[in-house]
Amino acid sequence: MKQMNVSNNQNYSKVSVLIVGAGPAGLATAIKLKTLKPDIDVCVIEKAADLGNHNLSGAVLEAEPLHSLLDSAVPGWRDTDAAKDMLANKIDKDNIMFLLGKKLSFNIFFMIRLAKIFRLGFGQMIHKGDYSVSISKLTKWLGQIANDLGAEVLTGFAAEDIILDSDTNKAIGVKLVDQGLDKEGHKQPNYVEGEFIEADFVVLAEGCDGLVTEKFVEKAGLQRQCHQLYSVGVKELIKVSPEQYEKFTASRVVHAMGYPIWTPIVGPGMFGGGIVYAGAADHLSVGMIVGADWKYHDVNPQDALTLFKQHSFVKQFIEGGEVVEAGAKMIPEGGYYAIPREPQSGSIGKGNVMILGDSAGFVNMLKIKGLHNAIDSGIQAAKAIVETLDNPQQAAARYTDLVEQSNIAKEMYSARSFRQTVAQFGPLQGMPLSVLGGLLPKFKIEKDYEAMTVLNYRLKPNQNFDKDTFTAMAATEHREEQPSHLTILDKTICQTKCTPRFNSPCITFCPAGVYETIHDEVKPANPSNCLHCKTCQRKCPFNNIRWTVPEGTGGPHYKRM
């Protein structure tokens, strides 16, 4: 980055384009920018220690946006060893399973095929021809391409705020987190004040529930027609025997609904389901996704993952296998009406700030996919920047025009009321009703944390989930002496309302075991375990927890997720 001195003698950094978040959306922006205008200076900052460390997903990838991005950026890329390795698992076996109880399973893919024939929304839930990929490895690969094209990709740089000009409301840059504070917030000898990076354009591509993104939404007065809904995904990468891997095959993906989070009539009635994807040789990714609007106070998504793994259909592929990596993240599911927009113009962002990928909520829940939309949004952001170099304040408006003309908007609009319909009526009635699509009104759905009740989750494994081992498999770590990045706003709410009524659900649902009761007080006792999934911030039944960014390099260290 280029340095310049300003009147108050602080050392500022100045770039033309600052991209916050080195995920697929942010890196696609950098790659496309350097392809369209090689001389533009582009800086991508990422809070993780290395590229891909904080990226976790299924992940099924529709390849067209990736092909479009790289065909123009790197001629001949498809013939490289890296590309062949990345796209080795092309899907030709697409199982949509309904699990009933611990042993029964039914492949309902024929229903999805019929839905496609009749042009119903569920027909989008077909993955044949897509790729099963490691998003961690994909991110690292895209980062190398961006770097080779001349973009500056910096890891270990954690952004904590976006700074707007008080007179024009234009974003002038991003503030990085201070480093070298002790637990009480006092400066240590190694203290370094968080740098300010000035930029003409700011691209927010932080992923789901991005800290800087949500601060910008509030500061700039952006609005959502419906608030964002989330799900929580927990995932394990399991090394299985060659025979089990061959039986599953590298070209298969499994999406399962029903048991253990939804059983008709008798309950439970939670949205979501299990996944099994092929990874590299002899490795299978097994995960459970649970809608965060669950109403049971004692739900732990990892318990559901355990029961899913024990189901006879899944067990045959993984029994005796070794968990070699694990992690958790949230997924934005609110869809089209939950995209943050500037009220007057409808821009997805404002002025010189654009919001991309999962930060915007570009996940198509009828496809259970958003990775292709994230990459496509990066392409559109780069085009908008190049077209508005002389007038950065028009960037968000131009970006939105391009998004609305792209496949992103078409997809998002087609699934516009799906998740809200399921939330309104529950899976049993909501799933079939959702085929009515645009005929249904915009339901006013409660926020995820407001759905909590005193009901118990009926299905539980025979033993408690080993969160310590799960966290170890995520290789998460933070500097122990830094201030906690997790805050309980009002301790009396925990003591007088939450614990008596709900028995401190954060202790149960946090996948990393961050929260504990110590001397009758609920505390984020183990912040160094945090996986940065932010479930606690969105599911505390009294909205009483806040997640702030820790020092750079902290968090999980995913390699193959």
Side-chain angles (χ1 to χ4, degrees):
M1 292 182 289
K2 297 181 290 184
Q3 303 289 325
M4 72 174 187
N5 293 318
V6 294
S7 58
N8 61 2
N9 295 321
Q10 280 188 288
N11 201 16
Y12 278 64
S13 300
K14 175 68 170 71
V15 294
S16 294
V17 181
L18 176 64
I19 301 169
V20 183
L27 293 170
T29 307
I31 291 169
K32 191 65 177 179
L33 273 170
K34 297 301 288 187
T35 304
L36 294 173
K37 195 166 182 61
D39 59 338
I40 194 170
D41 57 316
V42 180
C43 179
V44 187
I45 58 172
E46 167 59 41
K47 62 183 172 68
D50 197 7
L51 291 177
N53 280 179
H54 289 182
N55 297 96
L56 179 152
S57 180
V60 168
L61 170 66
E62 283 188 24
E64 196 284 326
L66 180 70
H67 289 173
S68 174
L69 174 71
L70 297 185
D71 283 349
S72 59
V74 189
W77 70 273
R78 300 184 196 216
D79 296 324
T80 65
D81 290 340
K84 291 175 181 178
D85 176 63
M86 185 60 54
L87 303 179
N89 295 353
K90 190 171 184 177
I91 298 164
D92 66 16
K93 294 181 182 178
D94 194 0
N95 293 166
I96 309 291
M97 307 300 297
F98 185 82
L99 307 184
L100 188 61
K102 299 178 181 179
K103 296 183 178 180
L104 296 178
S105 61
F106 308 93
N107 191 345
I108 59 173
F109 182 75
F110 73 94
M111 297 174 63
I112 307 301
R113 188 182 290 118
L114 282 174
K116 185 173 184 180
I117 292 172
F118 289 103
R119 299 184 179 181
L120 301 176
F122 284 114
Q124 297 185 44
M125 203 180 298
I126 291 179
H127 306 287
K128 286 187 177 182
D130 298 340
Y131 294 91
S132 175
V133 301
S134 159
I135 194 171
S136 300
K137 291 173 64 177
L138 175 68
T139 300
K140 199 172 186 68
W141 179 50
L142 292 177
Q144 185 60 56
I145 293 172
N147 189 71
D148 291 345
L149 290 171
E152 193 164 14
V153 183
L154 305 175
T155 58
F157 283 67
E160 71 168 1
D161 205 358
I162 186 167
I163 310 303
L164 306 184
D165 183 278
S166 57
D167 295 323
T168 64
N169 216 28
K170 173 187 176 183
I172 55 176
V174 166
K175 165 78 165 53
L176 303 183
V177 69
D178 296 343
Q179 300 193 74
L181 299 173
D182 64 19
K183 289 185 177 181
E184 286 71 41
H186 302 136
K187 297 178 182 178
Q188 296 181 307
N190 63 337
Y191 171 76
V192 177
E193 182 178 0
E195 191 174 8
F196 177 79
I197 305 177
E198 188 179 352
D200 297 323
F201 299 87
V202 178
V203 176
L204 298 177
E206 302 173 279
C208 181
D209 201 22
L211 177 73
V212 177
T213 302
E214 293 307 312
K215 286 187 175 182
F216 177 71
V217 167
E218 182 176 351
K219 287 183 176 184
L222 304 190
Q223 295 178 7
R224 296 175 168 97
Q225 293 186 54
C226 300
H227 51 253
Q228 189 60 269
L229 300 172
Y230 301 94
S231 67
V232 181
V234 288
K235 174 184 166 186
E236 294 177 343
L237 183 65
I238 303 175
K239 188 178 189 305
V240 300
S241 70
E243 293 76 20
Q244 287 171 314
Y245 188 80
E246 185 177 352
K247 183 178 182 180
F248 185 83
T249 75
S251 59
R252 179 194 288 196
V253 296
V254 171
H255 292 88
M257 61 183 71
Y259 179 87
I261 63 171
W262 172 35
T263 56
I265 311 300
V266 297
M270 294 183 283
F271 178 78
I275 60 169
V276 187
Y277 298 164
D282 301 341
H283 288 78
L284 297 178
S285 294
V286 183
M288 175 57 64
I289 299 168
V290 183
D293 56 345
W294 70 69
K295 58 185 177 181
Y296 310 98
H297 73 95
D298 58 345
V299 161
N300 173 16
Q302 290 158 316
D303 287 341
L305 175 61
T306 297
L307 293 173
F308 177 66
K309 290 166 59 179
Q310 292 172 350
H311 190 280
S312 59
F313 175 79
V314 179
K315 189 176 181 179
Q316 62 180 318
F317 301 116
I318 64 171
E319 186 172 20
E322 176 190 3
V323 177
V324 296
E325 199 164 344
K329 68 163 291 193
M330 286 201 309
I331 303 166
E333 296 185 346
Y336 185 83
Y337 294 125
I339 296 170
R341 296 178 182 266
E342 203 274 324
Q344 286 73 38
S345 66
S347 295
I348 307 171
K350 187 174 182 178
N352 60 337
V353 181
M354 291 148 283
I355 305 175
L356 277 59
D358 276 11
S359 285
F362 291 151
V363 175
N364 179 353
M365 288 307 297
L366 286 176
K367 285 188 173 183
I368 330 174
K369 284 183 286 193
L371 183 52
H372 62 298
N373 284 340
I375 293 171
D376 199 359
S377 70
I379 294 172
Q380 308 312 325
K383 291 178 180 178
I385 290 169
V386 170
E387 292 180 25
T388 59
L389 283 173
D390 295 332
N391 189 2
Q393 284 299 97
Q394 292 301 310
R398 182 57 185 144
Y399 163 66
T400 304
D401 288 342
L402 292 169
V403 167
E404 297 291 357
Q405 296 164 21
S406 74
N407 195 56
I408 302 171
K410 178 182 177 182
E411 280 196 16
M412 296 303 296
Y413 192 72
S414 72
R416 59 193 178 279
S417 59
F418 170 70
R419 187 62 180 87
Q420 286 81 6
T421 302
V422 176
Q424 176 75 15
F425 296 101
L428 181 61
Q429 296 173 301
M431 298 282 273
L433 279 173
S434 68
V435 301
L436 298 175
L439 299 177
L440 297 172
K442 279 188 293 182
F443 298 110
K444 187 175 182 180
I445 305 300
E446 62 190 355
K447 294 181 179 179
D448 287 331
Y449 72 85
E450 295 172 329
M452 186 79 75
T453 71
V454 296
L455 293 175
N456 294 316
Y457 175 45
R458 184 173 65 85
L459 303 172
K460 286 277 190 176
N462 293 327
Q463 61 186 35
N464 291 332
F465 189 89
D466 187 351
K467 295 189 178 188
D468 289 339
T469 299
F470 186 90
T471 304
M473 289 296 101
T476 191
E477 60 182 17
H478 300 79
R479 187 175 67 85
E480 293 282 353
E481 294 305 311
Q482 67 180 295
S484 175
H485 62 284
L486 297 155
T487 303
I488 293 177
L489 301 179
D490 187 343
K491 296 176 183 179
T492 61
I493 289 177
C494 300
Q495 295 166 351
T496 63
K497 295 182 179 180
C498 188
T499 299
R501 186 177 182 191
F502 298 123
N503 195 26
S504 309
C506 60
I507 296 174
T508 303
F509 65 62
C510 172
V514 168
Y515 296 88
E516 292 184 15
T517 299
I518 300 176
H519 302 305
D520 296 324
E521 183 180 328
V522 177
K523 294 182 177 181
N526 308 299
S528 60
N529 285 1
C530 180
L531 298 175
H532 295 204
C533 70
K534 306 174 191 171
T535 305
C536 56
Q537 176 167 264
R538 295 303 177 186
K539 193 54 186 176
C540 167
F542 292 95
N543 194 27
N544 196 32
I545 296 175
R546 291 294 178 269
W547 189 95
T548 56
V549 67
E551 292 180 359
T553 75
H557 289 69
Y558 304 134
K559 302 293 184 185
R560 294 171 287 180
M561 302 293 273

